[in-house]
Coordinates of all heavy atoms in Angstrom, one line a residue:
M24 N -61.8 45.9 -177.4 CA -62.0 45.3 -178.7 C -60.8 45.8 -179.7 O -60.4 47.0 -179.7 CB -63.3 45.9 -179.3 CG -63.6 45.2 -180.6 SD -65.3 45.6 -180.9 CE -65.3 45.4 -182.7
K25 N -60.2 44.9 -180.4 CA -59.1 45.1 -181.2 C -59.6 45.8 -182.6 O -60.6 45.3 -183.2 CB -58.3 43.8 -181.5 CG -57.0 44.1 -182.1 CD -56.3 42.7 -182.4 CE -55.1 43.1 -183.1 NZ -54.5 42.0 -183.8
K26 N -58.8 46.8 -183.0 CA -59.2 47.5 -184.2 C -58.3 46.9 -185.4 O -57.2 46.8 -185.3 CB -58.8 48.9 -184.0 CG -59.6 49.9 -184.7 CD -59.5 51.3 -184.3 CE -58.1 51.8 -184.6 NZ -57.9 53.3 -184.5
D27 N -59.0 46.5 -186.5 CA -58.3 45.9 -187.6 C -57.9 46.9 -188.7 O -56.9 46.8 -189.3 CB -59.2 45.0 -188.3 CG -59.4 43.6 -187.5 OD1 -58.4 43.4 -186.6 OD2 -60.3 43.0 -187.6
H28 N -58.5 48.1 -188.8 CA -58.4 49.0 -189.8 C -58.2 50.4 -189.2 O -58.7 50.8 -188.1 CB -59.6 49.1 -190.7 CG -59.9 47.8 -191.4 ND1 -59.2 47.3 -192.3 CD2 -60.9 47.0 -191.1 CE1 -59.7 46.1 -192.7 NE2 -60.8 46.0 -192.0
P29 N -57.3 51.2 -189.8 CA -57.0 52.5 -189.3 C -58.2 53.4 -189.4 O -59.0 53.1 -190.4 CB -55.8 53.0 -190.1 CG -55.8 52.2 -191.3 CD -56.3 50.8 -190.9
S30 N -58.4 54.2 -188.5 CA -59.6 55.1 -188.6 C -59.4 56.1 -189.7 O -58.3 56.4 -190.2 CB -59.8 55.9 -187.3 OG -58.8 56.8 -187.1
R31 N -60.5 56.7 -190.1 CA -60.4 57.8 -191.1 C -59.5 58.9 -190.7 O -58.7 59.4 -191.5 CB -61.8 58.3 -191.4 CG -61.9 59.4 -192.4 CD -63.3 59.9 -192.6 NE -63.2 61.1 -193.3 CZ -64.1 61.5 -194.1 NH1 -65.2 60.9 -194.3 NH2 -63.9 62.7 -194.8
R32 N -59.6 59.3 -189.4 CA -58.7 60.3 -188.9 C -57.2 59.9 -188.9 O -56.5 60.7 -189.3 CB -59.0 60.6 -187.3 CG -58.3 61.7 -186.7 CD -58.8 61.9 -185.4 NE -60.1 62.5 -185.5 CZ -60.8 63.2 -184.5 NH1 -60.2 63.1 -183.3 NH2 -61.9 63.6 -184.7
E33 N -56.9 58.7 -188.7 CA -55.5 58.2 -188.8 C -55.0 58.3 -190.2 O -53.9 58.7 -190.4 CB -55.4 56.8 -188.3 CG -55.5 56.7 -186.7 CD -55.6 55.3 -186.2 OE1 -56.1 54.4 -187.0 OE2 -55.3 55.0 -185.1
I34 N -55.8 57.9 -191.1 CA -55.4 58.0 -192.6 C -55.3 59.4 -193.0 O -54.3 59.7 -193.7 CB -56.6 57.3 -193.4 CG1 -56.6 55.8 -193.2 CG2 -56.3 57.5 -194.9 CD1 -57.7 54.9 -193.8
L35 N -56.2 60.3 -192.6 CA -56.1 61.7 -193.0 C -54.8 62.3 -192.4 O -54.1 63.1 -193.1 CB -57.3 62.5 -192.6 CG -58.5 62.2 -193.4 CD1 -59.7 63.0 -192.8 CD2 -58.3 62.5 -194.8
G36 N -54.5 61.9 -191.2 CA -53.2 62.4 -190.6 C -52.0 61.9 -191.3 O -51.1 62.8 -191.5
Q37 N -51.9 60.7 -191.7 CA -50.8 60.2 -192.5 C -50.7 60.8 -193.7 O -49.6 61.2 -194.2 CB -50.8 58.6 -192.6 CG -50.7 57.9 -191.3 CD -51.0 56.4 -191.4 OE1 -51.6 56.1 -192.5 NE2 -50.8 55.7 -190.4
S38 N -51.8 61.1 -194.4 CA -51.8 61.7 -195.8 C -51.3 63.2 -195.6 O -50.5 63.6 -196.5 CB -53.1 61.8 -196.3 OG -53.6 60.5 -196.6
A39 N -51.7 63.9 -194.6 CA -51.1 65.3 -194.4 C -49.7 65.3 -194.2 O -48.9 66.1 -194.7 CB -51.9 65.9 -193.2
A40 N -49.1 64.3 -193.4 CA -47.7 64.2 -193.2 C -47.0 64.0 -194.5 O -46.0 64.6 -194.8 CB -47.4 63.1 -192.2
L41 N -47.4 63.0 -195.3 CA -46.8 62.7 -196.6 C -46.9 64.0 -197.4 O -45.9 64.3 -198.2 CB -47.5 61.5 -197.3 CG -47.2 60.2 -196.7 CD1 -48.0 59.1 -197.3 CD2 -45.8 59.8 -196.7
G42 N -48.0 64.7 -197.5 CA -48.1 65.9 -198.3 C -47.1 66.9 -197.9 O -46.4 67.6 -198.7
A43 N -46.9 67.1 -196.6 CA -45.9 68.0 -196.1 C -44.5 67.6 -196.6 O -43.7 68.5 -197.0 CB -45.9 68.1 -194.6
L44 N -44.2 66.4 -196.6 CA -42.9 66.0 -197.1 C -42.8 66.2 -198.6 O -41.6 66.7 -199.1 CB -42.7 64.4 -196.9 CG -42.2 64.0 -195.5 CD1 -42.2 62.4 -195.3 CD2 -40.9 64.5 -195.2
A45 N -43.9 66.1 -199.3 CA -43.8 66.3 -200.7 C -43.6 67.8 -201.0 O -42.8 68.1 -201.9 CB -45.0 65.8 -201.4
V46 N -44.1 68.7 -200.2 CA -43.9 70.0 -200.4 C -42.6 70.6 -199.9 O -41.9 71.3 -200.6 CB -45.0 70.8 -199.7 CG1 -44.8 72.4 -199.7 CG2 -46.4 70.5 -200.4
L47 N -42.2 70.2 -198.7 CA -40.9 70.7 -198.1 C -39.7 69.9 -198.7 O -38.6 70.3 -198.5 CB -41.0 70.5 -196.7 CG -42.2 71.3 -195.9 CD1 -42.2 71.0 -194.5 CD2 -42.0 72.8 -196.2
G48 N -40.0 68.8 -199.2 CA -38.8 67.9 -199.6 C -38.2 67.2 -198.5 O -38.6 67.4 -197.3
T49 N -37.3 66.3 -198.7 CA -36.6 65.5 -197.6 C -35.1 66.0 -197.7 O -34.6 66.4 -198.6 CB -36.7 64.1 -197.9 OG1 -36.2 63.8 -199.1 CG2 -38.1 63.6 -197.8
P50 N -34.6 66.1 -196.4 CA -33.2 66.5 -196.3 C -32.3 65.6 -197.3 O -32.4 64.4 -197.4 CB -32.8 66.1 -194.9 CG -34.1 66.0 -194.2 CD -35.1 65.6 -195.1
G51 N -31.3 66.3 -197.9 CA -30.3 65.6 -198.9 C -31.0 65.5 -200.3 O -30.2 65.2 -201.2
C52 N -32.3 65.7 -200.5 CA -32.8 65.6 -201.8 C -33.0 67.0 -202.4 O -33.2 67.2 -203.6 CB -34.2 65.0 -201.8 SG -34.0 63.3 -201.3
S53 N -32.9 68.1 -201.7 CA -33.2 69.4 -202.2 C -32.0 70.1 -202.6 O -31.9 71.2 -203.3 CB -33.9 70.2 -201.1 OG -33.0 70.4 -200.1
K54 N -30.7 69.6 -202.5 CA -29.5 70.3 -203.0 C -29.3 70.1 -204.4 O -29.5 69.1 -205.0 CB -28.3 69.6 -202.3 CG -28.0 69.9 -200.9 CD -26.7 69.3 -200.5 CE -26.3 69.7 -199.0 NZ -25.1 69.0 -198.6
P55 N -29.0 71.3 -205.1 CA -28.8 71.2 -206.5 C -27.5 70.6 -206.8 O -26.6 70.6 -206.0 CB -28.8 72.7 -206.9 CG -28.4 73.5 -205.7 CD -28.9 72.6 -204.6
A56 N -27.4 69.9 -207.9 CA -26.1 69.2 -208.3 C -25.0 70.3 -208.4 O -25.3 71.4 -208.9 CB -26.2 68.6 -209.6
P57 N -23.8 70.1 -207.9 CA -22.7 71.0 -208.1 C -22.4 71.3 -209.5 O -22.3 70.3 -210.2 CB -21.6 70.4 -207.2 CG -21.9 69.0 -207.1 CD -23.4 68.8 -207.3
Q58 N -22.0 72.5 -209.7 CA -21.5 72.8 -211.1 C -20.2 72.2 -211.3 O -19.4 72.3 -210.5 CB -21.6 74.3 -211.3 CG -22.8 75.0 -211.4 CD -23.7 74.7 -212.5 OE1 -23.2 74.6 -213.7 NE2 -24.9 74.3 -212.3
L59 N -20.0 71.6 -212.6 CA -18.7 71.1 -212.9 C -17.7 72.3 -213.2 O -18.1 73.2 -214.0 CB -18.9 70.2 -214.1 CG -17.6 69.5 -214.7 CD1 -17.0 68.5 -213.6 CD2 -17.9 68.8 -215.9
S60 N -16.5 72.2 -212.5 CA -15.5 73.3 -212.7 C -14.4 72.6 -213.4 O -13.7 71.7 -212.9 CB -15.1 74.0 -211.4 OG -14.0 74.8 -211.6
C61 N -14.0 73.2 -214.6 CA -12.8 72.6 -215.3 C -11.9 73.8 -215.6 O -11.4 74.1 -216.7 CB -13.3 72.0 -216.6 SG -14.5 70.7 -216.3
S62 N -11.6 74.6 -214.6 CA -10.8 75.9 -214.8 C -9.4 75.8 -214.2 O -8.7 76.8 -214.2 CB -11.7 77.0 -214.3 OG -11.9 76.8 -213.0
D63 N -9.1 74.6 -213.6 CA -7.7 74.6 -212.9 C -6.7 74.4 -214.0 O -6.5 73.4 -214.6 CB -7.8 73.3 -212.0 CG -6.4 73.3 -211.2 OD1 -5.6 74.1 -211.3 OD2 -6.2 72.2 -210.6
V64 N -5.9 75.5 -214.1 CA -4.8 75.5 -215.1 C -3.5 75.5 -214.4 O -2.4 75.7 -215.1 CB -4.9 76.7 -216.1 CG1 -6.2 76.6 -216.9 CG2 -4.8 78.0 -215.3
S65 N -3.5 75.1 -213.2 CA -2.2 75.1 -212.3 C -1.1 74.2 -213.0 O 0.1 74.4 -212.7 CB -2.5 74.8 -210.9 OG -3.1 73.5 -210.8
G66 N -1.5 73.1 -213.7 CA -0.6 72.1 -214.2 C 0.0 72.5 -215.6 O 0.8 71.7 -216.2
L67 N -0.6 73.6 -216.1 CA -0.2 74.0 -217.4 C 1.0 74.9 -217.6 O 1.4 75.6 -216.6 CB -1.4 74.7 -218.2 CG -2.7 73.9 -218.4 CD1 -3.8 74.6 -219.1 CD2 -2.4 72.5 -219.0
T68 N 1.7 74.9 -218.7 CA 2.7 75.8 -218.9 C 2.1 77.2 -219.2 O 1.0 77.3 -219.7 CB 3.6 75.5 -220.1 OG1 2.8 75.5 -221.3 CG2 4.2 74.0 -219.9
P69 N 2.9 78.3 -219.0 CA 2.4 79.6 -219.4 C 2.0 79.7 -220.9 O 1.0 80.4 -221.2 CB 3.6 80.5 -219.1 CG 4.3 79.8 -218.1 CD 4.2 78.4 -218.4
A70 N 2.7 78.9 -221.8 CA 2.3 79.0 -223.2 C 0.9 78.4 -223.3 O 0.1 78.8 -224.2 CB 3.4 78.3 -224.1
D71 N 0.7 77.3 -222.7 CA -0.6 76.5 -222.8 C -1.7 77.4 -222.3 O -2.9 77.4 -222.8 CB -0.6 75.2 -222.1 CG 0.2 74.2 -223.0 OD1 0.5 74.4 -224.1 OD2 0.7 73.2 -222.2
V72 N -1.5 78.2 -221.2 CA -2.5 79.0 -220.6 C -2.8 80.1 -221.6 O -4.0 80.6 -221.7 CB -2.0 79.6 -219.2 CG1 -3.0 80.6 -218.7 CG2 -1.9 78.4 -218.2
Q73 N -1.7 80.6 -222.2 CA -1.9 81.8 -223.3 C -2.8 81.2 -224.4 O -3.6 82.0 -224.9 CB -0.5 82.1 -223.7 CG -0.6 83.5 -224.5 CD 0.9 84.0 -224.8 OE1 1.9 83.3 -224.6 NE2 1.0 85.2 -225.2
I74 N -2.6 80.0 -224.9 CA -3.4 79.5 -226.0 C -4.8 79.4 -225.5 O -5.8 79.8 -226.2 CB -2.8 78.2 -226.4 CG1 -1.5 78.3 -227.1 CG2 -3.9 77.5 -227.3 CD1 -0.8 77.0 -227.5
R75 N -4.9 78.9 -224.3 CA -6.4 78.8 -223.7 C -7.0 80.2 -223.7 O -8.2 80.4 -224.1 CB -6.2 78.3 -222.4 CG -7.4 77.6 -221.7 CD -7.0 76.8 -220.4 NE -8.2 76.5 -219.6 CZ -8.7 75.3 -219.5 NH1 -8.1 74.3 -220.1 NH2 -9.7 75.1 -218.7
T76 N -6.4 81.1 -223.3 CA -6.8 82.5 -223.2 C -7.1 83.1 -224.6 O -8.1 83.7 -224.9 CB -5.9 83.4 -222.4 OG1 -5.7 82.8 -221.1 CG2 -6.5 84.8 -222.2
A77 N -6.1 82.9 -225.5 CA -6.2 83.4 -226.9 C -7.4 82.9 -227.7 O -8.0 83.6 -228.5 CB -4.9 83.1 -227.6
L78 N -7.7 81.6 -227.4 CA -8.9 81.0 -228.0 C -10.1 81.2 -227.3 O -11.2 80.8 -227.7 CB -8.6 79.5 -228.2 CG -7.5 79.1 -229.2 CD1 -7.3 77.6 -229.2 CD2 -7.9 79.6 -230.6
A79 N -10.1 82.1 -226.2 CA -11.3 82.5 -225.5 C -12.1 81.3 -224.9 O -13.3 81.3 -225.0 CB -12.1 83.5 -226.4
Y80 N -11.4 80.4 -224.3 CA -12.1 79.2 -223.8 C -12.9 79.7 -222.7 O -12.5 80.4 -221.8 CB -11.2 78.2 -223.2 CG -11.8 77.1 -222.4 CD1 -12.5 76.1 -223.0 CD2 -11.7 77.2 -221.0 CE1 -13.2 75.2 -222.1 CE2 -12.3 76.2 -220.3 CZ -13.0 75.2 -220.8 OH -13.7 74.3 -220.0
V81 N -14.1 79.3 -222.5 CA -15.1 79.6 -221.4 C -15.6 78.3 -220.9 O -15.9 77.4 -221.6 CB -16.2 80.6 -221.8 CG1 -15.6 82.0 -222.1 CG2 -17.0 80.1 -223.0
E82 N -16.1 78.3 -219.6 CA -16.6 77.2 -218.9 C -18.0 76.8 -219.4 O -18.3 75.6 -219.4 CB -16.6 77.4 -217.4 CG -15.3 77.3 -216.8 CD -14.9 75.7 -216.5 OE1 -15.6 75.2 -215.6 OE2 -14.1 75.3 -217.2
V83 N -18.8 77.8 -219.8 CA -20.1 77.6 -220.2 C -20.3 78.4 -221.5 O -20.1 79.5 -221.6 CB -21.1 78.1 -219.2 CG1 -22.6 77.9 -219.6 CG2 -21.0 77.4 -217.9
S84 N -20.6 77.6 -222.6 CA -20.8 78.2 -223.8 C -22.1 79.1 -223.9 O -23.1 78.9 -223.4 CB -21.1 77.2 -225.0 OG -21.3 77.7 -226.2
M85 N -21.8 80.3 -224.5 CA -23.0 81.3 -224.9 C -23.4 81.2 -226.3 O -24.3 81.9 -226.8 CB -22.5 82.7 -224.5 CG -22.1 82.9 -223.1 SD -23.3 82.5 -221.9 CE -24.3 83.9 -221.9
E86 N -22.8 80.3 -227.0 CA -23.1 80.1 -228.4 C -24.2 79.0 -228.6 O -24.0 77.8 -228.1 CB -21.9 79.6 -229.3 CG -20.7 80.6 -229.2 CD -21.0 81.9 -229.9 OE1 -21.7 81.9 -230.9 OE2 -20.6 82.9 -229.4
N87 N -25.3 79.3 -229.1 CA -26.4 78.5 -229.3 C -26.1 77.2 -230.0 O -25.6 77.3 -231.2 CB -27.6 79.1 -229.9 CG -29.0 78.4 -229.7 OD1 -29.0 77.6 -228.8 ND2 -29.9 78.6 -230.5
G88 N -26.2 76.0 -229.4 CA -26.0 74.7 -230.2 C -24.5 74.4 -230.2 O -24.2 73.4 -230.8
K89 N -23.6 75.2 -229.7 CA -22.2 75.0 -229.8 C -21.6 74.8 -228.4 O -21.7 75.8 -227.6 CB -21.5 76.0 -230.5 CG -21.9 76.2 -232.0 CD -21.2 77.4 -232.6 CE -21.6 77.6 -234.0 NZ -20.9 78.9 -234.6
S90 N -21.0 73.7 -228.1 CA -20.3 73.4 -226.8 C -19.3 72.4 -227.1 O -19.3 71.6 -228.1 CB -21.3 73.0 -225.7 OG -21.8 71.8 -226.1
C91 N -18.3 72.3 -226.2 CA -17.2 71.3 -226.4 C -17.8 69.9 -226.6 O -17.2 69.2 -227.2 CB -16.3 71.4 -225.1 SG -15.5 73.0 -224.9
S92 N -18.8 69.6 -225.8 CA -19.3 68.3 -226.0 C -19.8 67.9 -227.5 O -19.9 66.7 -227.8 CB -20.5 68.0 -225.1 OG -21.6 68.8 -225.3
T93 N -20.0 68.9 -228.2 CA -20.5 68.7 -229.6 C -19.4 69.1 -230.6 O -19.6 69.2 -231.8 CB -21.8 69.5 -229.9 OG1 -21.4 70.8 -229.8 CG2 -22.9 69.0 -229.1
C94 N -18.2 69.3 -230.1 CA -17.0 69.7 -230.9 C -16.2 68.5 -231.2 O -16.0 67.6 -230.5 CB -16.2 70.7 -230.0 SG -14.7 71.2 -231.0
L95 N -15.7 68.6 -232.5 CA -14.9 67.4 -233.0 C -13.6 67.3 -232.2 O -13.0 66.2 -232.2 CB -14.5 67.9 -234.5 CG -13.7 66.9 -235.4 CD1 -14.5 65.6 -235.5 CD2 -13.4 67.5 -236.7
Q96 N -13.1 68.3 -231.7 CA -11.9 68.3 -230.9 C -12.0 67.8 -229.5 O -11.0 67.5 -228.8 CB -11.2 69.7 -230.8 CG -11.2 70.5 -232.2 CD -10.3 69.8 -233.2 OE1 -9.5 68.9 -232.9 NE2 -10.4 70.3 -234.4
F97 N -13.2 67.5 -229.0 CA -13.4 67.2 -227.5 C -13.0 65.8 -227.3 O -13.4 64.9 -228.1 CB -14.8 67.6 -227.1 CG -15.1 67.3 -225.7 CD1 -14.5 68.0 -224.8 CD2 -16.0 66.4 -225.3 CE1 -14.7 67.9 -223.5 CE2 -16.4 66.1 -223.9 CZ -15.7 66.9 -223.0
L98 N -12.4 65.4 -226.2 CA -12.1 64.2 -225.8 C -12.8 63.9 -224.4 O -12.2 64.2 -223.4 CB -10.5 64.0 -225.6 CG -9.7 64.3 -226.9 CD1 -8.2 64.4 -226.7 CD2 -9.9 63.3 -228.0
P99 N -13.9 63.3 -224.5 CA -14.7 63.1 -223.3 C -14.0 62.0 -222.3 O -13.4 61.1 -222.8 CB -16.0 62.5 -223.7 CG -15.8 62.0 -225.0 CD -14.6 62.8 -225.6
A100 N -14.2 62.3 -221.0 CA -13.6 61.4 -220.0 C -14.6 60.6 -219.2 O -14.2 59.7 -218.4 CB -12.8 62.2 -219.1
G101 N -15.9 60.9 -219.4 CA -16.9 60.2 -218.8 C -18.0 61.3 -218.5 O -17.9 62.5 -218.7
P102 N -19.2 60.7 -218.0 CA -20.3 61.6 -217.6 C -20.1 62.5 -216.4 O -19.4 62.0 -215.5 CB -21.4 60.6 -217.3 CG -20.8 59.3 -217.0 CD -19.5 59.3 -217.7
A103 N -20.3 63.7 -216.5 CA -20.2 64.7 -215.4 C -18.8 64.9 -214.9 O -18.5 65.1 -213.7 CB -21.1 64.3 -214.2
V104 N -17.8 64.6 -215.8 CA -16.4 65.0 -215.5 C -15.7 65.8 -216.6 O -16.2 65.9 -217.7 CB -15.5 63.7 -215.2 CG1 -16.1 62.9 -214.1 CG2 -15.5 62.8 -216.3
C105 N -14.7 66.6 -216.2 CA -14.0 67.3 -217.1 C -13.2 66.3 -218.2 O -12.8 65.3 -217.9 CB -12.8 68.1 -216.6 SG -13.4 69.2 -215.2
G106 N -13.3 66.8 -219.5 CA -12.8 66.1 -220.5 C -11.4 66.8 -221.0 O -10.9 67.6 -220.2
A107 N -11.0 66.5 -222.1 CA -9.8 67.1 -222.7 C -10.1 67.6 -224.1 O -11.2 67.4 -224.6 CB -8.6 66.2 -222.7
C108 N -9.1 68.3 -224.7 CA -9.2 68.7 -226.1 C -8.0 68.6 -226.9 O -6.9 68.6 -226.2 CB -9.6 70.3 -225.9 SG -9.6 71.1 -227.5
K109 N -8.2 68.3 -228.2 CA -7.0 68.2 -228.9 C -6.2 69.5 -229.3 O -5.1 69.5 -229.6 CB -7.3 67.6 -230.4 CG -8.0 66.2 -230.2 CD -8.5 65.7 -231.6 CE -9.4 64.5 -231.5 NZ -10.1 64.2 -232.7
V110 N -7.0 70.7 -228.9 CA -6.4 72.0 -229.3 C -6.1 72.7 -228.1 O -4.9 73.2 -227.9 CB -7.4 72.8 -230.2 CG1 -6.9 74.1 -230.4 CG2 -7.8 72.1 -231.5
V111 N -6.9 72.8 -227.1 CA -6.7 73.5 -225.8 C -6.3 72.6 -224.7 O -7.0 71.6 -224.4 CB -8.1 74.2 -225.5 CG1 -7.9 75.0 -224.2 CG2 -8.6 75.1 -226.6
K112 N -5.2 72.9 -224.1 CA -4.7 72.0 -223.1 C -5.4 72.3 -221.7 O -6.0 73.3 -221.6 CB -3.2 72.2 -222.9 CG -2.3 71.9 -224.0 CD -2.1 70.5 -224.2 CE -1.1 70.1 -225.2 NZ -1.7 69.8 -226.6
G113 N -5.4 71.3 -220.9 CA -6.0 71.4 -219.6 C -7.4 70.8 -219.5 O -7.9 70.4 -220.5
P114 N -8.0 70.9 -218.3 CA -9.4 70.4 -218.2 C -10.4 71.1 -219.0 O -10.4 72.3 -219.1 CB -9.7 70.4 -216.7 CG -8.8 71.5 -216.2 CD -7.5 71.5 -217.1
I115 N -11.3 70.4 -219.7 CA -12.3 71.0 -220.5 C -13.7 70.7 -220.1 O -14.0 69.4 -220.0 CB -12.1 70.6 -222.0 CG1 -10.7 71.0 -222.5 CG2 -13.2 71.2 -222.9 CD1 -10.5 72.5 -222.5
N116 N -14.5 71.7 -219.8 CA -15.9 71.4 -219.5 C -16.7 71.0 -220.7 O -16.7 71.7 -221.8 CB -16.5 72.7 -218.9 CG -17.7 72.5 -218.1 OD1 -18.6 71.8 -218.5 ND2 -17.9 73.1 -217.0
P117 N -17.5 70.0 -220.6 CA -18.2 69.5 -221.8 C -19.2 70.7 -222.2 O -19.6 70.8 -223.4 CB -19.1 68.4 -221.3 CG -18.4 67.9 -220.1 CD -17.6 69.0 -219.6
R118 N -19.6 71.6 -221.2 CA -20.5 72.8 -221.6 C -19.7 74.0 -222.1 O -20.3 75.0 -222.3 CB -21.3 73.1 -220.3 CG -22.2 71.9 -219.9 CD -22.9 72.3 -218.5 NE -23.8 73.4 -218.7 CZ -24.1 74.3 -217.8 NH1 -23.8 74.1 -216.6 NH2 -24.9 75.3 -218.0
G119 N -18.4 73.8 -222.2 CA -17.5 75.0 -222.6 C -17.5 75.2 -224.0 O -18.3 74.7 -224.9
Y120 N -16.7 76.2 -224.4 CA -16.6 76.7 -225.8 C -15.3 77.4 -226.0 O -14.8 78.0 -225.1 CB -17.8 77.5 -226.1 CG -17.9 78.2 -227.5 CD1 -18.2 77.4 -228.6 CD2 -17.3 79.5 -227.7 CE1 -18.1 78.0 -229.9 CE2 -17.3 80.1 -229.0 CZ -17.7 79.3 -230.0 OH -17.7 79.9 -231.3
C121 N -14.8 77.5 -227.2 CA -13.8 78.4 -227.6 C -13.8 78.6 -229.1 O -14.6 78.0 -229.8 CB -12.4 77.7 -227.2 SG -11.6 76.7 -228.5
K122 N -13.0 79.6 -229.5 CA -13.0 80.0 -230.9 C -12.6 79.0 -231.8 O -12.9 79.1 -233.1 CB -12.0 81.1 -231.1 CG -12.4 82.5 -230.5 CD -11.3 83.4 -230.7 CE -11.7 84.8 -230.0 NZ -10.5 85.8 -230.2
S123 N -12.1 77.8 -231.4 CA -11.7 76.7 -232.4 C -12.7 75.6 -232.5 O -12.5 74.6 -233.1 CB -10.4 76.1 -231.9 OG -9.3 76.9 -232.2
F124 N -13.9 75.9 -232.0 CA -15.1 75.0 -232.1 C -15.2 74.5 -233.6 O -15.2 75.3 -234.6 CB -16.4 75.7 -231.7 CG -17.5 74.8 -231.9 CD1 -17.9 73.8 -230.9 CD2 -18.3 74.8 -233.0 CE1 -19.0 73.0 -231.1 CE2 -19.4 74.1 -233.2 CZ -19.7 73.1 -232.2
A125 N -15.4 73.3 -233.8 CA -15.6 72.6 -235.1 C -16.7 71.5 -234.8 O -16.4 70.6 -234.1 CB -14.3 72.0 -235.6
P126 N -17.8 71.6 -235.4 CA -18.9 70.7 -235.1 C -18.5 69.3 -235.5 O -18.0 69.0 -236.6 CB -20.1 71.2 -235.9 CG -19.5 72.0 -237.0 CD -18.1 72.6 -236.4
K127 N -18.9 68.3 -234.6 CA -18.8 66.9 -235.0 C -19.7 66.5 -236.2 O -20.7 67.1 -236.3 CB -19.3 66.0 -233.8 CG -18.3 65.9 -232.7 CD -19.0 64.9 -231.6 CE -18.2 65.0 -230.3 NZ -18.9 64.2 -229.2
P128 N -19.2 65.7 -237.1 CA -20.1 65.3 -238.1 C -21.3 64.6 -237.6 O -21.2 63.9 -236.6 CB -19.2 64.4 -239.0 CG -17.9 64.3 -238.2 CD -17.8 65.1 -237.1
V129 N -22.4 64.8 -238.2 CA -23.6 64.1 -237.7 C -23.7 62.7 -238.3 O -23.4 62.4 -239.4 CB -24.9 65.0 -238.1 CG1 -26.1 64.3 -237.5 CG2 -24.7 66.4 -237.6
Ligands
SF4_28 FE1 -14.0 73.0 -226.6 FE2 -12.6 74.6 -228.3 FE3 -11.6 72.2 -227.6 FE4 -13.7 72.4 -229.3 S1 -11.6 73.2 -229.8 S2 -13.5 71.0 -227.5 S3 -14.8 74.2 -228.5 S4 -12.1 73.9 -226.1

């Protein structure tokens, strides 16, 4: 005799398998997004590197509510990529910060 509907045991087995996938995740989905790095100064002159250092540019701001992405000097290049700055030469992390921070007008 042909069976039209899955048995209760079959349904419970499939549910358990889906539950395990939900808990363990699936390959390729559990990797965290790579951190954006905007620290390559190899194309800069020593003077530009010195300015970058003197203004204490950092890749990740420790100043609450202040970061390059909210700075008037920031020149964004797109989502999740390094931008540029009117003051500090070289790649600029949107999450970065330096002493020349000036808030964008609201
Ligand atoms: Fe970032 Fe400083 Fe340039 Fe502002 S001036 S965008 S805080 S590096």
